[in-house]
Amino acid sequence: MDEMAVLIRYGEVALKGGNRHHFERILMRRIKEKVSDLMDPDIKSKGGLLIMDITKEINDLNETKKNDFLGRLRSKLLSVFGIDSISFALITKPNLSYIIDAAPGFVEQLRRDRAIDTFKVEAKRSDKSFPAKSPEIASKVGAGILKAVKNIGVDVHNPDLIVNVNVRNENAYIYEDRIRGQGGLPLGACGKGLLLLSGGIDSPVAGFLMARRGMSISAVHFNSYPYTSKRALDKVMRLKDQLAEYVGNFDVRTVNLLPAQMAIRSKAPENEGTILTRRFMIRIANIIAEEVHANALITGESLGQVASQTAESLAVTDAAANLPILRPLIAYDKRDIIGIAKDIGCYDISVEPFEDCCTVFLPKHPVTKPRLENILRSEEKLDISGLVQEVLEASID
Ligand code: ATP
Ligand code: MG
């Protein structure tokens, strides 16, 4: 019976010392949650590597079921933040003759799925007390493969297969490649952010990027019902479900901004409508952030994308915030944002044509360089704190 493990690497060099232990614990917890419907994993931390034994799980499976299991496990692990790369590895005893015996079978197994005419062996000795050095391990394992596998040759420059051998204290591992993971930090390792989640392309991507840096997410969505439809809300909830594939399940508070938008429209200059609405959103977000214990707000703003995203507008927006506003897309081009939105499966949902609360009341010529003193003067004519209270009270489900 083959013994198999997934080698899970986490890359961040910054995570030295005491932090590392904390990080590993959270990462292991995230992995366990993520794969829980497939298996109850046995994960061990050894010398900067997580080793997840899957021998028991694949033991009784036929070839098709085994491949299906490995495929699902792979895609789950590739969505976990904090994983730098993974490898599916055959386990052998850390003894050269065992490794030489096991390697041909490893090659034959891969050959069932694709043509492999050439190979090379790359060996690494993590256990420095191991009697053979890396070049010797590589050449002996290579010779063993040449002897036992028919019609195969060595090509050190452009092989069809690289057989990696890693000899460690507890075991030796034979694997083909390192499959790149999400990178970043495990969810929950770096506080919590309140995401201002619209139905657009940008904000889900912003939430994804902050979560990849370890920030757990809670969200608020503003609507202008009945000017915006129930279907627009349904779209946001589907975006949330898609984002949850990476970010884990999270709450979305929905808040109807209509009373504030009406007041702004009737009492403030038309061209200030957008910036006043944005400051109003931030004020509501301040309060919700406190309730959900968030350390920051997150938006999908990108410099220069629209009138409300000029440097001047961002400064005036910031002045309404009690917490830092994190804008991970600030320097991103739209095409790059779209690329990420597609990768994470949000794009097709985001482009569905439902009205957002902001588009309903969009002024024709918004100010692009608002001055805070003018905006404050306009806000004096609005009963901001009364409106905040009204909107929040109406939004409690
Ligand atoms: P998006 O694609 O994320 O909707 P956008 O390019 O349309 O962004 P704006 O409409 O100016 O830009 O919004 C900027 C940011 O403000 C959004 O990325 C989002 O974080 C927040 N925001 C806008 N509308 C809403 C809303 N209805 N509910 C919650 N947050 C919103
Ligand atoms: Mg928008």
Side-chain angles (χ1 to χ4, degrees):
M1 182 192 71
D2 284 348
E3 288 185 48
M4 266 191 91
V6 190
L7 310 182
I8 302 172
R9 305 176 192 84
Y10 49 86
E12 286 277 331
V13 275
L15 289 152
K16 299 245 155 90
N19 236 352
R20 177 153 172 166
H21 195 62
H22 173 63
F23 175 94
E24 266 192 351
R25 267 208 328 270
I26 300 179
L27 183 56
M28 281 201 215
R29 195 162 70 223
R30 291 293 164 230
I31 294 170
K32 285 185 178 171
E33 278 167 16
K34 193 73 201 182
V35 304
S36 63
D37 56 341
L38 275 183
M39 62 191 282
D40 180 15
D42 163 30
I43 307 173
K44 293 202 167 60
S45 160
K46 290 210 162 81
L49 192 68
L50 298 182
I51 299 172
M52 181 161 114
D53 198 301
I54 54 170
T55 307
K56 186 162 59 64
E57 282 71 20
I58 58 167
N59 197 7
D60 294 329
L61 301 179
N62 66 29
E63 198 71 7
T64 318
K65 288 209 166 126
K66 182 174 147 189
N67 285 340
D68 177 59
F69 172 86
L70 293 176
R72 287 168 58 187
L73 183 59
R74 172 189 159 122
S75 77
K76 280 177 185 290
L77 292 174
L78 294 186
S79 72
V80 174
F81 297 136
I83 294 181
D84 194 54
S85 71
I86 59 172
S87 299
F88 287 89
L90 185 67
I91 307 176
T92 79
K93 288 203 166 59
N95 169 308
L96 197 48
S97 63
Y98 277 89
I99 302 169
I100 294 169
D101 278 354
F106 175 78
V107 176
E108 299 280 17
Q109 173 76 28
L110 291 172
R111 255 190 162 182
R112 285 183 210 160
D113 295 331
R114 64 178 215 259
I116 297 170
D117 297 325
T118 57
F119 75 99
K120 79 168 168 180
V121 179
E122 287 188 354
K124 186 174 155 203
R125 194 178 53 140
S126 304
D127 172 9
K128 297 296 174 208
S129 69
F130 191 73
K133 291 194 173 153
S134 301
E136 185 188 345
I137 302 171
S139 79
K140 290 200 166 152
V141 172
I145 293 172
L146 282 173
K147 201 165 136 201
V149 180
K150 288 201 183 76
N151 301 326
I152 200 162
V154 170
D155 180 346
V156 290
H157 300 296
N158 193 19
D160 296 333
L161 168 69
I162 297 177
V163 178
N164 289 285
V165 178
N166 184 358
V167 185
R168 301 170 64 88
N169 271 326
E170 72 286 358
N171 281 315
Y173 301 94
I174 304 176
Y175 57 90
E176 182 184 1
D177 50 5
R178 292 173 173 234
I179 308 160
R180 236 175 109 96
Q182 290 288 340
L185 299 170
L187 200 66
C190 296
K192 185 170 187 182
L194 179 70
L195 172 66
L196 280 70
L197 179 64
S198 73
I201 296 170
D202 304 327
S203 48
V205 173
F208 169 83
L209 289 177
M210 290 320 300
R212 198 170 67 180
R213 283 310 295 172
M215 195 162 237
S216 64
I217 299 288
S218 197
V220 54
H221 172 71
F222 300 103
N223 61 58
S224 313
Y225 190 75
Y227 287 83
T228 54
S229 64
K230 292 261 192 236
R231 292 180 69 188
L233 193 60
D234 170 68
K235 170 185 169 183
V236 172
M237 291 307 164
R238 281 181 289 121
L239 272 176
K240 171 211 130 152
D241 288 341
Q242 183 56 33
L243 201 53
E245 290 289 316
Y246 297 90
V247 169
N249 209 2
F250 62 98
D251 286 333
V252 182
R253 273 279 292 271
T254 58
V255 173
N256 189 335
L257 271 192
L258 192 59
Q261 288 173 304
M262 296 293 227
I264 290 169
R265 189 162 69 171
S266 65
K267 292 183 191 154
E270 196 219 350
N271 64 354
E272 290 178 2
T274 302
I275 187 74
L276 289 167
T277 308
R278 294 204 60 74
R279 282 170 55 87
F280 193 82
M281 285 185 182
I282 296 295
R283 287 199 177 86
I284 302 281
N286 285 335
I287 295 167
I288 297 176
E290 202 176 313
E291 284 172 19
V292 301
H293 307 291
N295 319 98
L297 307 181
I298 303 169
T299 75
E301 287 160 309
S302 170
L303 191 64
Q305 204 184 77
V306 289
S308 64
Q309 297 174 22
T310 61
E312 294 83 356
S313 295
L314 295 177
V316 174
T317 305
D318 278 349
N322 295 339
L323 291 170
I325 303 180
L326 304 178
R327 300 177 168 104
L329 303 182
I330 198 71
Y332 278 55
D333 287 349
K334 194 75 185 187
R335 60 174 184 180
D336 300 330
I337 301 171
I338 288 174
I340 302 174
K342 286 183 175 166
D343 286 346
I344 63 175
C346 286
Y347 183 76
D348 288 342
I349 308 172
S350 291
V351 294
E352 289 174 16
F354 296 114
E355 292 291 286
D356 187 32
C357 75
C358 308
T359 40
V360 178
F361 288 90
L362 223 52
K364 281 187 205 66
H365 303 288
V367 277
T368 54
K369 297 185 177 188
R371 292 171 60 90
L372 186 58
E373 61 265 33
N374 296 343
I375 298 301
L376 290 173
R377 209 169 300 125
S378 298
E379 283 179 349
E380 275 166 25
K381 300 195 191 95
L382 301 159
D383 172 17
I384 296 281
S385 57
L387 282 169
V388 165
Q389 217 173 349
E390 182 185 342
V391 160
L392 273 176
E393 274 168 16
S395 81
I396 292 167
D397 330 273

